[in-house]
């Protein structure tokens, strides 16, 4: 018989607060057109993106995360000292070690929390949320700060007509804590590594270091049509599985917050899932672009801030991207 005592966690977990930070600089499609042969009409029709935010040198991954975290803590009514773990999802923090989560934890005033980074691309927020839920339920932390943050402008090839207009910068954060009722459903997540070449970094860091200085800095590239087909057809199935796992139907939903990759993907998923007209759909991509791990919390924060969604609403969230990886779950909004 095991001598390990039962965990003293909460029976359930929930999102208690959300915060976001968008860099000050707003970049229009006209700026993107300075380096690619395209048009504003083409960009809008293919992606739905009109503007995006690009960070200044001062708006680092850590700095943006600190701003978003402060808002999330205030929204949750939780002090930094109560945070037991900090989870940061990002692919654009260029230091391999130490984890940027440790710097963020220190700067917000958390006291010796567990702190680590994860790399799960555009599904990163969903992965972090799932880990946070587990920590709260098992009792390893009472409150967990989950951050999705990216400076994708650093990894954008402005001469690549297929991707130059897609990416933006920003940070979104949520506080996850105990709940007396289910408020974060089971996560449907996974990976399809046989498709890993469809979204990737152009050149590995070690190869870039070993080549001459004329080589372009590594950037994100993707096979647009393959990614589009995968997202539209396969991710709608995953979203439906998340609804089934939570024991609800599309009719029970109030809000749909998909990864903000492309407006056409979002609209196609809404159609495939047959979402009722009363369901509010996040379309933050129009003014924020694709911010990878930050896109879902940023979209969530904007919906709540504008009144398009309200506290207590039932929302389906799904992230998907490089790997190819995905994560979907149903949550109660803070």
């Amino acid at each position: 018989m095991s001598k390990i005592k039962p965990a003293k966690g909460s029976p359930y977990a929930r999102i208690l607060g959300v915060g976001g930070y968008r860099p000050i600089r707003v970049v229009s499609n006209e700026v993107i057109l300075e380096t690619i042969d395209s048009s504003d009409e083409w960009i809008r029709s293919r992606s739905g993106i009109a503007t995006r935010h690009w960070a200044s040198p001062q708006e680092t991954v850590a700095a943006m995360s600190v701003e978003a975290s402060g808002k999330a803590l205030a929204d949750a009514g939780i002090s930094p000292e109560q945070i037991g773990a900090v989870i940061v999802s990002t692919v654009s923090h260029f230091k391999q070690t130490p984890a940027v989560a440790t710097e963020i934890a220190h700067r917000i005033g958390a006291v010796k929390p567990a702190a680590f980074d994860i790399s799960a691309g555009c599904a990163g927020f969903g992965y972090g949320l799932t880990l946070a839920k587990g920590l709260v339920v098992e009792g390893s932390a009472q409150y967990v700060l989950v951050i999705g943050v990216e400076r994708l402008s650093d990894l954008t090839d402005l001469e690549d007509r297929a991707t130059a207009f897609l990416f933006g910068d920003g940070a979104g954060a949520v506080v996850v804590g105990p709940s007396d009722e289910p408020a974060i459903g089971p996560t449907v997540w996974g990976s399809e590594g046989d498709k890993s070449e469809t979204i990737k970094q152009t050149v590995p860091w070690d190869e870039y270091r070993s080549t001459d200085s004329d080589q372009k800095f590594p950037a994100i590239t993707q096979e647009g049509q393959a990614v589009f087909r995968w997202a539209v057809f396969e991710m709608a199935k995953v979203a439906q599985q998340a609804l089934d796992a939570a024991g609800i139907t599309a009719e029970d939903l109030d809000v749909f917050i998909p990864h903000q990759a492309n407006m056409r993907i979002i609209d196609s998923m809404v159609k495939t899932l047959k979402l009722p007209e009363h369901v509010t759909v996040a379309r933050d991509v129009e003014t924020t672009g694709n911010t990878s791990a930050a896109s879902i919390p940023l979209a969530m924060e904007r919906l709540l801030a504008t009144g398009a969604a309200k506290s207590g609403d039932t929302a389906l969230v799904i992230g998907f991207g490089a790997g190819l990886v995905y994560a979907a779950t149903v949550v109660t909004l803070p």
Side-chain angles (χ1 to χ4, degrees), residues 35-225:
T35 53
I36 61 171
D37 180 17
S38 188
S39 67
D40 176 67
E41 181 182 4
W42 187 89
I43 293 173
R44 289 174 185 256
S45 65
R46 300 294 292 182
S47 69
I49 299 172
T51 59
R52 72 287 290 148
H53 295 254
W54 283 357
S56 68
Q58 292 74 35
E59 291 169 314
T60 63
V61 165
M64 293 190 292
S65 297
V66 168
E67 293 292 330
S69 298
K71 295 176 182 178
L73 289 165
D75 191 41
I78 299 299
S79 69
E81 294 82 4
Q82 292 175 277
I83 294 296
V86 177
I87 303 171
V88 178
S89 179
T90 184
V91 298
S92 48
H93 174 60
F94 291 159
K95 284 185 180 179
Q96 191 71 33
T97 190
V100 72
T102 59
E103 177 185 350
I104 296 165
H106 172 68
R107 290 177 60 174
I108 66 173
V111 181
K112 297 183 179 180
F116 57 95
D117 299 348
I118 61 174
S119 176
C122 304
F125 175 74
Y127 276 50
L129 183 65
T130 302
L131 294 173
K133 173 187 173 183
L135 293 174
V136 171
V137 171
E138 75 174 18
S140 293
Q142 186 174 15
Y143 299 102
V144 180
L145 181 63
V146 180
I147 303 164
V149 57
E150 301 292 2
R151 273 181 57 115
L152 294 181
S153 57
D154 292 335
L155 289 168
T156 298
D157 180 354
L158 295 179
E159 296 179 349
D160 180 2
R161 188 173 184 270
T163 62
F165 57 89
L166 287 176
F167 302 119
D169 304 337
V174 299
V175 175
V176 177
S179 175
D180 293 329
E181 60 183 11
I184 301 176
T187 300
V188 177
W189 58 352
S191 65
E192 297 184 30
D194 60 311
K195 301 178 180 67
S196 61
E197 292 295 301
T198 57
I199 306 175
K200 63 180 182 179
Q201 185 172 308
T202 52
V203 182
W205 294 116
D206 57 347
E207 184 177 327
Y208 176 74
R209 182 179 62 177
S210 64
T211 55
D212 62 72
S213 59
D214 291 334
Q215 180 162 294
K216 280 187 175 181
F217 191 76
I220 297 173
T221 185
Q222 69 175 27
E223 298 174 13
Q225 286 302 314

Side-chain angles (χ1 to χ4, degrees), residues 267-283:
D267 290 340
S268 294
M269 290 183 71
V270 168
K271 183 178 180 180
T272 302
L273 288 167
K274 298 179 181 179
L275 295 184
E277 290 187 5
H278 73 262
V279 176
T280 298
V281 179
R283 291 187 170 88

